[in-house]
């Protein structure tokens, strides 16, 4: 921007070097032209300064927002982990394909869910009924 200032100053010097009579038509024209160029360059310099301030301000807001986001998602993650701890989640290994099947209390409280199947091979890995479960055990003992 200093470049713009010095170029306007140089233009003024060139115009003065022409030795034009200020009251002549040419003198008036040159004076007006240089005034306009000078006003424009001052506006541009001012805008540039305000723009730089805005960029600094935006960067500061962006940093603050990042910190807030990190804090927020950290808390959310901690909440999720706490929820998982509250759930009675247990796992059963499928005897056929050895896939680990996770079962939580919510699934067992649902009476429509009687059998829990291995998502991989669809073998029954857990029976959600105490009686059936006992029978199943007895059958195995008889064999
Ligand atoms: Zn399986």
């Amino acid at each position: 921007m200093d470049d713009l200032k010095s170029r306007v100053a140089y233009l003024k010097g060139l115009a003065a070097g022409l030795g034009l009579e200020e009251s002549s038509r040419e003198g008036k024209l040159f004076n007006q032209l240089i005034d306009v160029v000078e006003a424009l360059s001052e506006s541009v310099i001012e805008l540039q300064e305000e723009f730089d301030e805005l960029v600094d301000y935006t960067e500061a807001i962006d940093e603050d927002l990042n910190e807030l986001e990190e804090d927020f998602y950290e808390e959310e993650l901690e909440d999720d982990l706490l929820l998982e701890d509250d759930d009675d989640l247990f796992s059963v290994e499928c005897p056929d394909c050895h896939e680990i099947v996770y079962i939580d209390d919510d699934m067992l409280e649902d009476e429509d869910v009687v059998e829990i199947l291995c998502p991989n091979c669809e073998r029954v890995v857990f029976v959600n009924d105490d009686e059936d479960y006992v029978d199943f055990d007895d059958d195995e003992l008889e064999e």
Side-chain angles (χ1 to χ4, degrees), residues 1 41-59:
M1 285 305 133
S41 76
E42 277 168 10
S43 290
V44 169
I45 288 166
E46 217 171 279
L47 277 173
Q48 183 67 48
E49 281 169 1
E50 284 171 5
F51 179 76
D52 288 346
E53 266 176 43
L54 261 180
V55 169
D56 285 348
Y57 185 55
T58 309
E59 280 172 358

Side-chain angles (χ1 to χ4, degrees), residues 3 8 29-30 33 37 43 47 56 61 78 81 95-96 116 118 121 125 128:
D3 185 49
V8 172
L29 175 66
F30 268 93
L33 278 176
V37 169
S43 290
L47 277 173
D56 285 348
I61 291 176
E78 279 167 16
L81 289 175
D96 280 354
I116 293 175
C118 168
C121 68
V125 292
N128 186 23

Side-chain angles (χ1 to χ4, degrees), residues 24-129:
S24 71
R25 289 180 185 174
E26 291 85 355
K28 282 178 182 169
L29 175 66
F30 268 93
N31 274 338
Q32 276 302 310
L33 278 176
I34 286 166
D35 278 354
V36 169
V37 169
E38 196 170 25
L40 278 175
S41 76
E42 277 168 10
S43 290
V44 169
I45 288 166
E46 217 171 279
L47 277 173
Q48 183 67 48
E49 281 169 1
E50 284 171 5
F51 179 76
D52 288 346
E53 266 176 43
L54 261 180
V55 169
D56 285 348
Y57 185 55
T58 309
E59 280 172 358
I61 291 176
D62 192 41
E63 269 174 36
D64 289 349
L65 186 63
N66 273 338
E67 272 174 37
L68 277 176
E69 276 177 347
E70 273 169 28
D71 288 351
F72 177 77
Y73 288 119
E74 242 170 55
E75 268 174 39
E76 223 180 38
L77 198 66
E78 279 167 16
D79 286 349
D80 284 351
L81 289 175
L82 285 177
L83 278 178
E84 260 177 43
D85 282 346
D86 285 343
D87 275 343
D88 277 316
L89 189 77
F90 62 97
S91 61
V92 180
E93 190 183 337
C94 172
D96 280 354
C97 71
H98 303 290
E99 172 95 3
I100 304 293
V101 185
Y102 291 95
I103 301 166
D104 65 35
D105 268 1
D106 289 345
M107 290 163 85
L108 300 182
E109 276 160 23
D110 186 349
E111 285 177 12
D112 292 336
V113 178
V114 180
E115 292 175 335
I116 293 175
L117 304 179
C118 168
N120 193 40
C121 68
E122 297 197 330
R123 186 196 198 280
V124 177
V125 292
F126 189 83
V127 180
N128 186 23
D129 189 292

